[in-house]
Amino acid sequence: MTQVRLEFTSNINTNPSEFQFKSEYNPWTLDPNVPYDSKKAGKIIVWTDPEDGKLYLIDGHNRHLKAKQKGIKQQLVLDLSNKAETKLDVLMLAYIQTRGHHNDSLF
């Protein structure tokens, strides 16, 4: 079962070479003059890798970066840990959840 919850920003690890597959993003996420807006940010997708036990960001890299830059302590996450056992599983689920674009580099 997926879980939606607040997670401490500091607990979320990133590994873009493994998990960042989206080619498009909202421009507000990269503009340093625009404040963080939790309504615009929505849920980011995370997953706990059973190999190392760390919580990884799967989708929402730019929104997560903006939250870190603005000192946001917690973010709303959709945790796919109970739905996916492997990296490929979680990437496929995230791709489906975000309605992946044909330019995305999942495959």
Side-chain angles (χ1 to χ4, degrees):
M1 130 175 131
T2 56
Q3 180 184 12
V4 175
R5 67 170 191 283
L6 286 173
E7 180 63 58
F8 286 104
T9 299
S10 60
N11 290 345
I12 302 169
N13 297 281
T14 58
N15 186 348
S17 64
E18 288 284 324
F19 297 118
Q20 191 169 15
F21 62 90
K22 299 289 285 178
S23 62
E24 297 182 355
Y25 56 88
N26 292 322
W28 77 269
T29 61
L30 298 179
D31 185 342
N33 299 314
V34 176
Y36 181 84
D37 182 337
S38 61
K39 287 186 181 186
K40 279 186 182 177
K43 297 181 287 276
I44 59 175
I45 298 176
V46 298
W47 172 69
T48 300
D49 187 339
E51 290 182 18
D52 63 13
K54 292 182 180 178
L55 184 68
Y56 284 99
L57 179 62
I58 305 302
D59 183 66
H61 287 79
N62 292 325
R63 291 172 284 154
H64 178 65
L65 177 61
K66 174 76 121 185
K68 285 176 64 173
Q69 290 170 342
K70 298 297 183 180
I72 303 301
K73 301 242 185 269
Q74 292 183 316
Q75 294 176 266
L76 189 63
V77 301
L78 172 63
D79 188 344
L80 298 179
S81 298
N82 293 332
K83 286 288 231 185
E85 294 181 11
T86 67
K87 289 178 185 175
L88 180 58
D89 291 344
V90 77
L91 289 171
M92 292 294 291
L93 282 170
Y95 188 78
I96 292 165
Q97 286 281 334
T98 61
R99 296 175 186 85
H101 188 271
H102 69 278
N103 289 332
D104 295 338
S105 60
L106 178 59
F107 303 103

